[in-house]
Amino acid sequence: MFRENLKKITYWMVKRQLVANDEVIGERPPVQEENLSGNLKENIARIREEMGNSADLVVREFSCGSGRGMPVALVYVDGMANAKILNESAIKPLMFGTGLKNDACRHGKCTLADLKEKLLSIAEVNTLQTLDSLLQGILSGDTALLADESREALMLTSKGFEKRSVTEPLSEAVIRGPREGFTESIRTNTSLLRRKIKNPALTIESMTIGEKTRTAVCFAYIRGVANEELISSIRDRLKAVRTDAVLDSGCLEEYIEDAPFSIFPTLGYTEKPDVAAAKILEGRAAILVDGSPFALTAPLLFIEGFQSAEDYYFRSYYMSLVRVLRYISYIITIFAPALYVAITTFHQELLPTDLLFTMAAAREGIPFPAVEEALIMLITFEILREAGVRLPRPVGQALSIVGALVIGDAAVSAGLIGAPMVIVIAITAVSVFLTPNLANTAAILRLIFLFLAGFMGGYGITIGFIGVLIHLGSLKSFGFPYFAPFAPYRSADMKDAVIRSPLWMLATRPEKMARRDRKRLDFFVPPADGTKNEQGE
């Protein structure tokens, strides 16, 4: 009820703000598409005017064929189009006209359809009639071919702008498994997905978002596996986005996520094609944004924060142990400072006598209460972590290590911070790195539990923990329970929740993720020994 009321209040606040903005700056003018005229000079002048006579706009005018042929023009943006492709596959055949019979272009009788069918040796050529679509193609790296006395234009695929090559992603390092990562080119990213899933059922839907940036966005899924309601929801949410700019997938995430006021993300992200492909094969969808090397995945479950790509590339026994360690480390990084404050301030009787005397001696002379002491150390740690991330890698690593050692030792020597608190914060800082996808959430929860422990001790921690569980149970990601398979409990999906069962036991996709095609493995009996398989060979 509270979340529903909060959504209604937010809706009316946003609506009032939009109405106020419309009264001040006016509504967006409706987009009116202009058709091309039959005059070549006029079309070129309109393109120059729309582009503001930009210095990087190139207009190459010439006659089709030798002699007095049909006047044509190639229009493209310098640095966006491949000049070699244009010279060899467009300008050369158009000027010499070796593919046309009877020298039609020399007498001005050929049409753009003739050029498209008989002269141009470019992989993809599309016909356009509007100025807006022509400008959009030019700004995307293609080349427009205009002809005199024609109300149409040909758009030649000639993208040749600089782009980063496929390299190993830095944010998701693995010991074993594929080491290729997404790039900023959306077509490169879709091809990486195609290489992983060579199935005609893999569908990629594309659209353009951003009134000013005109960013290409597409989402990929497998027909017959993905839930139709999920795909429809993603499509509707993307089409509903009305904004000037989408520069990264993170910008798009805030417009389509389910719970914008929750500290828990309801959309996943990955830089690895194998991770995106694995999620697509489970019935999810991957959203790709041109200019971003991170793909969004929907829906997202809470347990995915404790899973890694290489969990499924190593044997299950060791990776199950590692996954349990991730859960333990997440609990430590959230509760360790709060428990220390609660025990030393409210519940000293829980400590053994010898340990209590040792901790009391270590805190003797400390001028701050335990909660303030923990808060100072946590803020210092976050400052060092953020500085280490933003600085160049060699400098950042040195700052993180040296800063932590020097500041911690100096604070203890000066009597400002107790040695037990330094140990607790150190364990907290190391534990968070086992679950990097939940690091931001852990930082907020850590502070919340710390304040609750400082005011109410263990009772405050218990109340906060129950509140977090209730919140997790109420969250949904594109209609799917965020806290599944814990709430609602699904025994079939517990095989890949806390531990990682062998792959031959994961015979079905997550429940309700794929309704029509849940089976992903035929019946399998593991070999009884090292000499016989299930067929007895």
Side-chain angles (χ1 to χ4, degrees):
M1 177 64 73
F2 175 75
R3 293 178 67 243
E4 293 297 328
N5 292 333
L6 184 60
K7 287 183 179 179
K8 292 180 181 179
I9 295 173
T10 306
Y11 168 77
W12 287 111
M13 290 176 61
V14 172
K15 186 174 182 180
R16 288 183 59 186
Q17 183 64 36
L18 291 176
V19 171
N21 291 340
D22 289 341
E23 293 176 353
V24 176
I25 62 177
E27 298 182 356
R28 290 181 184 269
V31 179
Q32 298 180 353
E33 295 189 355
E34 300 181 25
N35 293 325
L36 296 171
S37 68
N39 187 290
L40 179 61
K41 297 294 184 182
E42 181 180 344
N43 288 331
I44 293 175
R46 291 166 65 188
I47 294 173
R48 290 186 184 276
E49 181 181 358
E50 290 292 332
M51 295 284 292
N53 290 318
S54 182
D56 58 350
L57 180 66
V58 179
V59 180
R60 174 72 162 87
E61 299 184 61
F62 56 94
S63 296
C64 179
S66 58
R68 299 177 62 183
M70 179 177 63
V72 296
L74 290 175
V75 184
Y76 61 94
V77 175
D78 187 21
M80 297 285 288
N82 191 320
K84 184 176 180 180
I85 293 178
L86 293 178
N87 291 334
E88 297 296 330
S89 303
I91 297 178
K92 187 175 180 179
L94 285 173
M95 294 187 70
F96 294 100
T98 55
L100 287 177
K101 298 180 180 179
N102 302 323
D103 294 331
C105 270
R106 296 184 182 181
H107 300 88
K109 297 179 181 179
C110 64
T111 62
L112 285 179
D114 295 328
L115 303 182
K116 178 180 179 180
E117 296 174 3
K118 303 176 182 180
L119 277 186
L120 297 172
S121 56
I122 292 181
E124 184 179 355
V125 180
N126 299 315
T127 303
L128 306 176
Q129 292 84 24
T130 63
L131 180 63
D132 184 70
S133 58
L134 184 144
L135 290 172
Q136 182 63 30
I138 293 175
L139 294 173
S140 298
D142 295 333
T143 301
L145 175 61
L146 302 170
D148 198 21
E149 299 182 1
S150 175
R151 294 182 176 273
E152 295 181 341
L154 297 181
M155 187 59 62
L156 317 180
T157 301
S158 60
K159 295 181 178 66
F161 44 81
E162 294 295 330
K163 59 184 179 180
R164 186 168 60 93
S165 60
V166 177
T167 57
E168 182 178 358
L170 299 178
S171 61
E172 299 177 72
V174 295
I175 300 174
R176 182 177 181 179
R179 299 181 183 274
E180 56 188 7
F182 286 127
T183 69
E184 286 74 17
S185 172
I186 192 170
R187 283 296 159 240
T188 301
N189 295 342
T190 55
S191 67
L192 290 173
L193 284 179
R194 288 286 184 187
R195 288 178 55 190
K196 298 295 181 183
I197 307 176
K198 302 179 181 69
N199 192 309
L202 177 62
T203 304
I204 298 177
E205 296 189 20
S206 181
M207 61 186 68
T208 301
I209 301 179
E211 299 293 334
K212 297 293 188 293
T213 59
R214 300 292 182 90
T215 305
V217 177
C218 65
F219 61 98
Y221 61 95
I222 298 180
R223 296 190 313 274
V225 174
N227 194 320
E228 294 84 355
E229 296 178 1
L230 169 65
I231 302 306
S232 177
S233 176
I234 293 176
R235 187 184 298 113
D236 293 341
R237 294 190 192 191
L238 290 176
K239 289 183 178 179
V241 176
R242 296 289 184 269
T243 182
D244 281 348
V246 175
L247 301 178
D248 185 79
S249 59
C251 302
L252 191 62
E253 177 182 359
E254 295 195 34
Y255 291 111
I256 64 175
E257 63 182 347
D258 286 75
F261 295 101
S262 175
I263 63 174
F264 294 96
T266 53
L267 270 171
Y269 66 91
T270 181
E271 203 176 355
K272 291 175 61 62
D274 59 312
V275 175
K279 294 183 183 298
I280 291 174
L281 289 169
E282 285 188 344
R284 294 178 172 90
I287 304 173
L288 304 172
V289 178
D290 192 24
S292 174
F294 289 91
L296 300 176
T297 58
L300 175 70
L301 303 182
F302 177 71
I303 61 173
E304 293 181 44
F306 303 94
Q307 297 173 351
S308 174
E310 58 186 355
D311 286 0
Y312 307 93
Y313 304 144
F314 285 99
R315 299 188 70 228
S316 61
Y317 302 104
Y318 174 70
M319 297 318 300
S320 296
L321 173 62
V322 172
R323 187 172 292 182
V324 171
L325 288 177
R326 294 191 191 118
Y327 279 97
I328 295 174
S329 69
Y330 189 67
I331 294 174
I332 290 175
T333 192
I334 291 176
F335 291 107
L339 288 174
Y340 176 82
V341 170
I343 291 175
T344 56
T345 306
F346 296 94
H347 312 292
Q348 296 91 342
E349 67 277 1
L350 296 178
L351 294 175
T353 304
D354 295 340
L355 180 59
L356 180 62
F357 288 155
T358 302
M359 294 180 64
R363 294 203 74 255
E364 185 178 359
I366 303 298
F368 305 109
V371 62
E372 295 183 10
E373 185 182 2
L375 184 62
I376 292 173
M377 290 300 297
L378 286 177
I379 293 176
T380 304
F381 162 68
E382 292 296 332
I383 291 174
L384 290 174
R385 185 171 72 93
E386 193 67 18
V389 171
R390 304 304 171 191
L391 286 173
R393 185 177 302 176
V395 180
Q397 292 177 350
L399 175 66
S400 300
I401 297 173
V402 176
L405 292 175
V406 172
I407 293 177
D409 182 69
V412 173
S413 300
L416 299 177
I417 303 294
M421 178 60 71
V422 175
I423 296 174
V424 170
I425 298 301
I427 295 175
T428 302
V430 174
S431 299
V432 76
F433 296 124
L434 270 72
T435 54
N437 291 339
L438 296 173
N440 297 335
T441 302
I444 299 175
L445 288 176
R446 193 185 301 131
L447 293 176
I448 293 175
F449 284 114
L450 177 62
F451 285 118
L452 290 174
F455 284 109
M456 294 181 286
Y459 299 104
I461 296 175
T462 304
I463 293 173
F465 180 63
I466 294 174
V468 170
L469 290 180
I470 295 174
H471 178 64
L472 287 172
S474 66
L475 285 179
K476 289 185 179 295
S477 176
F478 287 84
F480 295 87
Y482 181 70
F483 205 39
F486 301 114
Y489 179 77
R490 293 169 180 167
S491 58
D493 295 340
M494 290 299 295
K495 298 177 183 178
D496 195 26
V498 180
I499 63 171
R500 204 278 278 176
S501 300
L503 294 179
W504 49 267
M505 292 183 63
L506 305 177
T508 58
R509 294 182 174 88
E511 187 176 348
K512 298 191 177 182
M513 196 77 70
R515 292 183 178 177
R516 290 190 299 174
D517 185 9
R518 290 200 59 212
K519 185 179 179 181
R520 58 181 173 187
L521 178 68
D522 290 331
F523 182 73
F524 176 80
V525 178
D529 52 44
T531 59
K532 296 181 180 180
N533 58 19
E534 63 273 18
Q535 284 80 26
E537 296 177 353

